[in-house]
Amino acid sequence: MSNISVAVLGAGMVGVASALALQKKGFRVTLLDRLAPGEETSYGNAGVIARSSLMPFNNPSLWANLPVLLKNQSAGFRYQARFLLQNLGWAARFVARARTPVFEETTTALDSLIRLSMNEHAQLLRASGAAHRMRDNGWMFLYRQSGAFAGGALARERMAHFGVATEVLERDHIRQLEPALNPIFERALWIKDTWSVDSPGDVVKAYAELFRKQGGQYAQARIKTVEPLAGSRWRIRADGAQDGLEADRVVVALGPWSRQFMATLGVKVPMAYERGYHMHFAPPASCNISRPVYDTAGAYVLSPMEQGLRLTSGVELTDIDAPANPVQLGLAEAAAREAIDMGQALEPAPWMGSRPTLPDSRPIIGAMPGQRNLWLAFGHQHIGFSTGPGTGAILAALMRGDDAPVDARPFRAERFLKG
């Protein structure tokens, strides 16, 4: 395969991991993005690699929660009305896939992808020299009231079904594991089958450096589109010196920007953007935590990071280029300060980014219908950092004509795209 060239568009976790997997299969790979690897969506997450991420937002409990969500006042979910009106087709398909049969198919598919990804992450963390950034002490879902804990029964049932190791904690045990937390949580679910890292952006950079050391090429360029050439090759159109780069095959792994990019090829992707924010804080040394925690009532995640204690907000459905809206992060900070002494904010303004979500909460991994040698790897919603390495392993196997390491059919592009 060393004579077959591949251009991977996008240098987040999905793109970098795909480039590494293709390189391992013997392809000659060039990775392209407008910024250095790991500086956009893959930078801003909570750094969690969790078996529990098999639960999609559009699960059967969504139906009962819709009246509250549509009020557009919750800390965990907001929407920009104009964006939602412009994407009603996506919204209808998203809600329709909260039915039990689709939900069960999705959780089965995501569980297989997450388990594969954890194995791939373990190898890449060692090979890239980034293993020191990984913690294996799980993460916690925190519940302020017992009734809220009861409301999470469906998620616990699904996790138990797939053998995810968990433990229910009472108030005293929560304090034993995380003494910095104030005693406002009646119960918690400790999800033990979880890793976390102290700088997700730096993990992506370490993987990209491994790719480079193994002979991979990286080009920083603002990608415009691709054009088909004779012989099923492609020309990549970009700003600057990389304009006109040619490759035998192209992989689109541009995360939330994949929708706009595919539109340049006349392909309409039913993708919405889930905006999220984060801010770092400097808690007193005695008030830090040893693992990520998710306050289900406050709708935030706190993660101990190299940069400080990272507070991440809920999601907002809005356009990828919409102005910042600090409401959710403000609500998250107020709730978090009830739980822990976070100290002072370390940045003057929050980071913000978008997660790309398809109607069934599964990514597309595979060939573009009707376009020879055009391959797709996008739509990972909140779990692209977790599932990038598994995505790369599936994609590389399919591109080489090998059997995929897990069932790839739930991720096929034909679910939503036509040639």
Side-chain angles (χ1 to χ4, degrees):
M1 290 288 175
S2 60
N3 62 329
I4 297 179
S5 59
V6 182
V8 177
L9 312 183
M13 176 57 81
V14 173
V16 171
S18 296
L20 280 163
L22 288 162
Q23 188 180 60
K24 187 175 181 181
K25 289 287 188 180
F27 293 95
R28 287 189 295 113
V29 186
T30 300
L31 184 64
L32 300 98
D33 205 337
R34 64 181 183 177
L35 298 179
E39 291 196 354
E40 296 197 275
T41 306
S42 292
Y43 166 79
N45 58 81
V48 175
I49 305 169
R51 293 283 310 279
S52 56
S53 296
L54 60 87
M55 277 293 294
F57 185 79
N58 54 341
N59 62 71
S61 69
L62 177 62
W63 299 100
N65 293 328
L66 270 179
V68 173
L69 296 175
L70 289 175
K71 290 180 180 179
N72 207 19
Q73 297 176 349
S74 73
F77 174 81
R78 296 282 176 117
Y79 60 89
Q80 205 278 333
R82 178 176 294 180
F83 178 81
L84 191 60
L85 288 171
Q86 292 171 342
N87 292 272
L88 282 178
W90 172 89
R93 296 164 87 175
F94 185 83
V95 173
R97 283 163 175 80
R99 293 177 291 111
T100 297
V102 182
F103 165 71
E104 291 179 350
E105 181 181 2
T106 295
T107 53
T108 299
L110 292 182
D111 179 66
S112 69
L113 179 60
I114 293 165
R115 284 186 288 109
L116 172 65
S117 295
M118 293 184 81
N119 291 333
E120 297 291 326
H121 263 300
Q123 297 175 41
L124 291 174
L125 285 164
R126 289 192 297 268
S128 68
H132 65 285
R133 295 195 175 278
M134 193 267 282
R135 299 176 291 254
D136 63 358
N137 58 350
W139 74 322
M140 288 184 188
F141 286 18
L142 302 170
Y143 300 89
R144 300 190 182 208
Q145 297 178 345
S146 296
F149 178 82
L154 177 62
R156 293 193 297 278
E157 184 277 325
R158 281 280 93 184
M159 283 187 263
H161 176 80
F162 291 107
V164 180
T166 65
E167 182 179 342
V168 177
L169 308 177
E170 305 299 334
R171 190 190 302 266
D172 290 345
H173 198 179
I174 297 170
R175 291 279 287 171
Q176 290 173 20
L177 287 176
E178 296 295 347
L181 293 176
N182 294 327
I184 63 173
F185 301 105
E186 290 192 8
R187 306 190 88 179
L189 186 69
W190 180 15
I191 302 166
K192 299 180 178 181
D193 284 345
T194 297
W195 302 337
S196 59
V197 301
D198 67 1
S199 181
D202 283 325
V203 170
V204 177
K205 290 181 185 300
Y207 289 4
E209 180 62 14
L210 175 64
F211 166 75
R212 188 194 65 78
K213 287 180 178 178
Q214 294 175 165
Q217 300 296 313
Y218 180 73
Q220 190 166 325
R222 187 177 295 273
I223 305 155
K224 296 177 180 177
T225 189
V226 292
E227 300 171 350
L229 301 173
S232 301
R233 285 172 59 80
W234 294 90
R235 177 182 290 118
I236 292 87
R237 288 300 186 191
D239 289 338
Q242 295 303 318
D243 189 39
L245 175 74
E246 295 184 11
D248 296 309
R249 302 178 186 178
V250 169
V251 175
V252 180
L254 290 165
W257 295 276
S258 298
R259 172 176 162 176
Q260 296 173 346
F261 179 83
M262 294 301 292
T264 70
L265 304 179
V267 178
K268 185 176 181 180
V269 178
M271 178 187 289
Y273 313 114
E274 297 185 45
R275 169 77 61 81
Y277 300 83
H278 83 228
M279 180 77 82
H280 292 108
F281 293 83
S286 61
C287 291
N288 217 329
I289 52 177
S290 63
R291 76 204 81 209
V293 298
Y294 167 42
D295 180 349
T296 58
Y300 64 82
V301 173
L302 283 174
S303 293
M305 294 285 179
E306 184 178 73
Q307 303 95 325
L309 188 60
R310 179 175 292 183
L311 172 72
T312 64
S313 70
V315 304
E316 178 188 18
L317 291 181
T318 191
D319 195 76
I320 194 169
D321 297 321
N325 180 357
V327 172
Q328 282 176 293
L329 189 64
L331 292 172
E333 180 179 346
R337 289 192 181 280
E338 296 172 353
I340 190 171
D341 182 355
M342 295 202 301
Q344 297 298 311
L346 294 174
E347 295 108 354
W351 176 92
M352 67 179 186
S354 298
R355 296 96 160 198
T357 302
L358 297 167
D360 58 7
S361 295
R362 291 176 235 154
I364 288 175
I365 309 171
M368 172 64 201
Q371 290 280 4
R372 190 176 179 188
N373 293 338
L374 181 62
W375 296 80
L376 312 177
F378 56 72
H380 291 73
Q381 33 107 1
H382 299 261
I383 59 174
F385 182 79
S386 291
T387 56
T391 296
I394 294 169
L395 186 75
L398 294 175
M399 289 179 68
R400 189 171 174 174
D402 298 339
D403 291 335
V406 298
D407 185 3
R409 290 172 296 177
F411 309 111
R412 64 194 184 279
E414 288 83 354
R415 289 157 28 230
F416 303 116
L417 306 183
K418 297 180 180 179

